[in-house]
Amino acid sequence: MSPQVLKVDQVNVFYGTSQALFNLSFDVHKGETLALLGRNGAGKSTTMKSVAGVIAAKSGHITLHNQAITGRPAHLIARAGIGYVPEDRQIFPDLTVEENLDIAIKRGANGEDDWSIERVYEMLPLLKPLRERLGGQLSGGEQQMLTVGRSLMGNPDVLLLDEPSEGLAPIMVQKIGDLIQSLREMGKTIVLAEQNLHFCLGLADRAVVIDKGTDVFVGTITELNDNADIKQRYLSV
Ligand SMILES: Nc1ncnc2c1ncn2[C@@H]1O[C@H](COP(=O)(O)OP(=O)(O)OP(=O)(O)O)[C@@H](O)[C@H]1O
Ligand SMILES: [Mg+2]
């Protein structure tokens, strides 16, 4: 298997006194797309937030290229190579599409500058005619494309996408799927949080199923799809 890029090891996360993640562990290999699957409230977003440094793990270890990132502030984790697209699509509503992209320019952890605004427009062609439009005037699907584009402008080593298809019309879900497929063909390492196993089929290589804040299954996406028991117990399928 290709080298390990990200490792989440025995992570425990609390919101106040309420524990959300329980000794959660998984790893992500270079160039793979890993699906994080689980029902509402399973802990997918909390997992992504703890990797991105938006919330701190109380215990456990998170490493990126074997370097500890646990407990580091979000901006340093971003600089170290984690690109995070949260579920609530944090774009700047009063900036144009192009300005939203422009302020997100950042070299990668090793000085990579693979992504320019033009390159993002090539990858996300529907954004180009909207370049002068304010972020706040975009549709949900267009905003989702813009948040992914912004993240790419930061040259991430690992892209965390939190339910990118959620709430979008079928045509936009298809476009998001095509985009993930293209990124995957470019060799990007992607972690995709989803409730929808069907969306991940053909996109993800492996899957981790989370239930009540802990990992209950790890295997290939095909193994998961063939496992009626796990699907019935832990997924809404
Ligand atoms: N800010 C918060 N304060 C307190 N509890 C929270 C907070 N955010 C999430 N939780 C709780 O943590 C648990 C995991 O939530 P999380 O958002 O990670 O789930 P999820 O798998 O992303 O769900 P969904 O598919 O609905 O997005 C849930 O029990 C949730 O109620
Ligand atoms: Mg979530």
Side-chain angles (χ1 to χ4, degrees), residues 15 18-21 38-47 49 87 162-163 166 195:
Y15 292 106
S18 157
Q19 188 164 2
L21 298 184
R39 289 197 178 107
N40 270 320
K44 304 178 295 296
S45 297
T46 304
T47 302
K49 286 178 194 164
E87 60 189 335
D162 195 350
E163 297 206 48
E166 211 217 334
Q195 286 192 37

Side-chain angles (χ1 to χ4, degrees), residues 19-51:
Q19 188 164 2
L21 298 184
F22 297 80
N23 294 320
L24 180 82
S25 303
F26 64 91
D27 54 15
V28 188
H29 296 265
K30 189 167 172 53
E32 81 169 338
T33 298
L34 179 82
L36 281 186
L37 285 150
R39 289 197 178 107
N40 270 320
K44 304 178 295 296
S45 297
T46 304
T47 302
M48 294 208 152
K49 286 178 194 164
S50 63
V51 172

Side-chain angles (χ1 to χ4, degrees), residues 13-219:
V13 171
F14 289 74
Y15 292 106
T17 55
S18 157
Q19 188 164 2
L21 298 184
F22 297 80
N23 294 320
L24 180 82
S25 303
F26 64 91
D27 54 15
V28 188
H29 296 265
K30 189 167 172 53
E32 81 169 338
T33 298
L34 179 82
L36 281 186
L37 285 150
R39 289 197 178 107
N40 270 320
K44 304 178 295 296
S45 297
T46 304
T47 302
M48 294 208 152
K49 286 178 194 164
S50 63
V51 172
V54 176
I55 47 175
K58 186 159 186 185
S59 62
H61 302 280
I62 303 173
T63 52
L64 178 65
H65 300 300
N66 290 318
Q67 307 256 325
I69 56 170
T70 335
R72 285 217 245 159
H75 71 279
L76 291 183
I77 291 179
R79 203 175 294 165
I82 299 280
Y84 170 47
V85 178
E87 60 189 335
D88 55 359
R89 299 173 198 154
Q90 292 163 356
I91 53 149
F92 294 100
D94 299 326
L95 297 184
T96 65
V97 165
E98 188 136 318
E99 287 165 344
N100 265 280
L101 292 172
D102 197 40
I103 58 165
I105 292 176
K106 172 179 84 51
R107 281 180 180 267
N110 297 307
E112 302 91 335
D113 60 352
D114 299 344
W115 293 92
S116 60
I117 288 183
E118 285 311 319
R119 181 103 196 280
V120 167
Y121 287 148
E122 274 169 35
M123 197 79 181
L124 301 162
L126 71 80
L127 288 182
K128 193 165 182 176
L130 303 173
R131 62 203 298 170
E132 299 302 326
R133 190 161 306 171
L134 295 180
Q137 295 170 344
L138 300 178
S139 74
E142 292 162 351
Q143 288 192 8
Q144 186 62 268
M145 294 290 179
L146 180 56
T147 51
V148 176
R150 281 178 40 132
S151 212
L152 294 175
M153 293 295 288
N155 289 284
D157 282 336
V158 180
L159 195 55
L160 309 177
L161 301 175
D162 195 350
E163 297 206 48
S165 72
E166 211 217 334
L168 302 185
I171 178 74
M172 290 307 288
V173 173
Q174 175 72 42
K175 282 188 198 292
I176 292 279
D178 292 347
L179 171 64
I180 294 169
Q181 190 62 42
S182 307
L183 292 170
R184 196 178 164 212
E185 283 162 13
M186 291 168 58
K188 290 280 158 205
T189 307
I190 299 170
V191 183
L192 175 62
E194 266 299 328
Q195 286 192 37
N196 183 347
L197 170 63
H198 187 76
F199 179 74
C200 300
L201 293 175
L203 279 185
D205 301 283
R206 291 192 306 134
V208 174
V209 177
I210 302 179
D211 186 62
K212 299 191 181 78
T214 200
D215 47 292
V216 291
F217 171 92
V218 58

